[in-house]
Amino acid sequence: MKNLFTLILFVCCIAANAQEPARPSAILTPEQKAFGLAKFWQEANYNFVFMDKVDRSAWDSTFQAMLPLAMQTENDYEYFLLLQKLCARLNDGHTYVWAPGISNHNDNPPDHVRIPIVRGLLKEGYLQLNDIGGLPVVETVSDNLSEQIPLGSIVTSVNGIPVEDHIRENTLPYVGQNTDHLRRIMSVRGILSGLDGERLSLGYIVPDGQERSIELTFDIQADALPVERLEVLDRGNLPWELIRYRELGNGIGYLQLNSFGSTDVVDRFKELYPQVRQAKAIIIDLRYNGGGNTNNGTAILQYFTPDSVLYGSSSRTRKHIAAYKAWGQFYADADTTGMDRLSKNMYLAARDELMEPLHDMQTTVTVPMEDRTVVPIVVLTGYWTASAAEDFLIFTDNQPHITRIGTKTFGSTGQPISVELPGGMFAAICSKNDTYTDGREFVGIGVIPHIEVIPNLEQMLAGRDVVLETAIEHLKAEI
């Protein structure tokens, strides 16, 4: 995927000073709300590439039920939640709705909605949760909160409700992701999302087994908190750098690539390459790489292959021919056997299943053979290895000297279409389906590692990187 998808990282902040909570706007008319909901529904019907996986009857019924509710919402925030809920029905990480937030300077245009949603920013400090071993765990905490709710604490209740009940009712319905593991992670993270000024009560168990509770307040007015003020279970990419390289001993080099978002990563790699090529084996860490431009990934991969051509994913998109739809309505399901190509295309068009092949991604390797480093390589994968970083993995699939170690990846890539909605909102709708060249699917599954390693809470609290440890032991045996 090219220049399309970047994971949003929320800046870690603490409250600067007490101010009145920012209130959600109420500028959209009932008619604008109805139009926005209908426009998203129809654009998805026309362009969403995975519509064949959607229960169309349930999708249409949900839209019809939400239409009067949207017009009755009291403010733009309530309306935005309905949009999110409808969007989540599509279960796609490259399909989402977005609304302007509210800044410290209140500089949104007057005709734009203002939705002061806060994620992890609290008057008392900063918190972030993650799903670890099926439990909602404190993954990141600011130093001014860490004594009260230590790193590794397990959340058991939210506002007096058992945490799994809260997730099922209040966060999961608004999460649209392709994979089960990302739906779970984002649902857990959604616990610490609320309106500015809203209060939150958490019950939790600290690592030594004590049960505690804490009252928190979402606060959008904040100053940036440096990473040094944070306690984090996984500091593998902190402080964040675009690329880093170091030697691990035993002839093993470690190359971390944290984004393919710009050509800077290729330029920095070329600067480091004289060191990299001295290694007898290499670990390429993509666990924190949320994507960017596929070409930047393949520009680096060229240095690690013996082949003259790299083969990536195949892709397709929906195709609309109105006359085909009209003619295809006369074909019954029983008529599909033995159809000629034109008749089958008309049949598929009438059912919104006609697809147009785009291209098989191929990259001609231009790096001279004498400048390449073809040694045993391990690529580390994680749940946040996404989009163009997943494309990188597809290109490595037929490289016998490259082994993937870690967890399944994000499981989402594609080409979103941007759709403007009233009040400065917009939607992104995935229009391209990518698969392995041989047709195997990874969207909705994730790229599966050759050796799966899922860190547990005990290992993370001990500061161990078991994925990296496994990679090192694997390469020691290969050298």
Side-chain angles (χ1 to χ4, degrees):
M1 190 189 76
K2 300 180 180 179
N3 298 323
L4 300 174
F5 183 78
T6 302
L7 290 175
I8 298 174
L9 302 176
F10 298 105
V11 178
C12 302
C13 303
I14 58 173
N17 46 61
Q19 298 189 27
E20 285 297 313
R23 302 299 179 190
S25 60
I27 67 169
L28 293 178
T29 66
E31 292 77 16
Q32 286 177 309
K33 293 173 181 177
F35 174 74
L37 193 75
K39 186 175 183 181
F40 174 77
W41 173 77
Q42 183 52 32
E43 289 285 351
N45 285 336
Y46 195 77
N47 293 310
F48 184 52
V49 72
F50 300 109
M51 212 65 197
D52 60 323
K53 299 181 184 295
V54 175
D55 182 333
R56 294 296 286 267
S57 177
W59 167 250
D60 291 345
S61 296
T62 300
F63 166 70
Q64 291 178 47
M66 285 185 174
L67 196 55
L69 297 177
M71 298 179 71
Q72 295 164 15
T73 52
E74 293 186 3
N75 54 52
D76 300 329
Y77 171 63
E78 291 183 6
Y79 168 65
F80 177 66
L81 289 180
L82 272 179
L83 270 176
Q84 278 193 317
K85 202 169 187 178
L86 180 63
C87 181
R89 287 283 188 147
L90 298 176
N91 287 322
D92 183 71
H94 277 65
T95 300
Y96 53 90
V97 292
W98 180 90
I102 183 169
S103 73
N104 291 348
H105 305 291
N106 299 327
D107 57 0
N108 289 339
D111 61 341
H112 278 33
V113 301
R114 294 153 57 91
I115 301 178
I117 298 175
V118 185
R119 296 175 174 89
L121 308 181
L122 306 160
K123 184 177 292 184
E124 298 78 10
Y126 177 81
L127 278 179
Q128 181 170 278
L129 304 179
N130 197 5
D131 177 78
I132 300 176
L135 298 171
V137 174
V138 174
E139 177 187 55
T140 305
V141 58
S142 55
D143 56 9
N144 55 338
L145 260 182
S146 59
E147 287 191 14
Q148 296 167 273
I149 180 165
L151 201 65
S153 297
I154 299 169
V155 175
T156 57
S157 67
V158 182
N159 296 328
I161 301 170
V163 66
E164 294 302 330
D165 291 343
H166 176 83
I167 290 171
R168 184 171 56 254
E169 297 296 326
N170 298 309
T171 64
L172 181 60
Y174 303 95
V175 173
Q177 290 291 340
N178 301 75
T179 59
D180 291 339
H181 52 275
L182 258 296
R183 274 191 291 275
R184 172 64 181 180
I185 290 170
M186 299 308 292
S187 296
V188 167
R189 290 196 168 189
I191 292 171
L192 289 172
S193 178
L195 283 177
D196 182 43
E198 186 178 356
R199 294 193 62 76
L200 181 74
S201 174
L202 294 182
Y204 55 96
I205 300 173
V206 299
D208 67 7
Q210 295 181 44
E211 294 186 9
R212 297 183 187 176
S213 63
I214 191 170
E215 298 289 327
L216 303 166
T217 304
F218 292 108
D219 193 339
I220 204 169
Q221 301 293 341
D223 287 330
L225 184 67
V227 69
E228 292 79 12
R229 295 281 306 279
L230 298 176
E231 295 183 18
V232 186
L233 277 179
D234 180 4
R235 300 187 71 90
N237 68 335
L238 297 176
W240 190 90
E241 293 183 40
L242 178 62
I243 180 174
R244 52 166 58 93
Y245 178 77
R246 68 178 188 269
E247 296 176 1
L248 300 178
N250 298 296
I252 300 173
Y254 173 84
L255 177 66
Q256 187 179 77
L257 305 171
N258 288 322
S259 174
F260 293 138
S262 76
T263 56
D264 290 346
V265 70
V266 181
D267 296 336
R268 288 283 294 118
F269 168 77
K270 290 179 179 178
E271 293 172 6
L272 293 169
Y273 186 61
Q275 301 175 55
V276 175
R277 71 177 313 186
Q278 302 303 314
K280 297 178 182 177
I282 298 169
I283 295 171
I284 299 176
D285 194 345
L286 298 183
R287 288 177 291 176
Y288 315 101
N289 191 321
N293 187 323
T294 300
N295 290 339
N296 293 328
T298 55
I300 292 172
L301 184 58
Q302 289 191 41
Y303 287 83
F304 302 113
T305 178
D307 297 341
S308 58
V309 178
L310 292 170
Y311 296 94
S313 61
S314 295
S315 59
R316 59 181 190 161
T317 190
R318 289 173 63 184
K319 186 173 184 178
H320 305 281
I321 303 177
Y324 279 17
K325 285 188 174 185
W327 295 324
Q329 291 175 331
F330 297 103
Y331 290 95
D333 289 346
D335 295 331
T336 57
T337 303
M339 275 186 182
D340 59 73
R341 183 173 180 179
L342 177 60
S343 297
K344 187 173 183 179
N345 284 346
M346 291 188 292
Y347 170 84
L348 293 172
R351 289 150 183 83
D352 288 331
E353 296 176 3
L354 183 61
M355 306 294 284
E356 174 75 11
L358 294 175
H359 59 275
D360 292 344
M361 296 181 71
Q362 296 183 14
T363 296
T364 300
V365 178
T366 58
V367 175
M369 182 61 73
E370 62 269 21
D371 292 334
R372 303 185 210 173
T373 304
V374 183
V375 296
I377 293 174
V378 166
V379 180
L380 305 186
T381 63
Y383 294 140
W384 298 111
T385 306
S387 199
E390 291 179 297
D391 293 341
F392 181 98
L393 297 175
I394 303 304
F395 276 102
T396 70
D397 190 58
N398 67 344
Q399 301 292 308
H401 64 295
I402 297 180
T403 303
R404 298 186 299 272
I405 295 179
T407 69
K408 293 178 182 177
T409 62
F410 196 86
S412 180
T413 191
Q415 171 69 68
I417 292 175
S418 183
V419 178
E420 292 185 8
L421 301 175
M425 297 182 179
F426 76 82
I429 296 171
C430 187
S431 65
K432 181 168 72 78
N433 177 17
D434 291 275
T435 65
Y436 286 90
T437 303
D438 60 10
R440 284 176 293 148
E441 293 188 350
F442 66 94
V443 174
I445 301 168
V447 177
I448 298 172
H450 296 107
I451 302 172
E452 185 174 43
V453 181
I454 303 175
N456 61 41
L457 181 56
E458 181 181 1
Q459 293 164 338
M460 297 179 78
L461 283 171
R464 292 181 58 193
D465 186 343
V466 292
V467 177
L468 182 58
E469 291 173 13
T470 303
I472 292 171
E473 292 305 312
H474 176 83
L475 288 177
K476 283 181 181 178
E478 293 286 315
I479 298 175

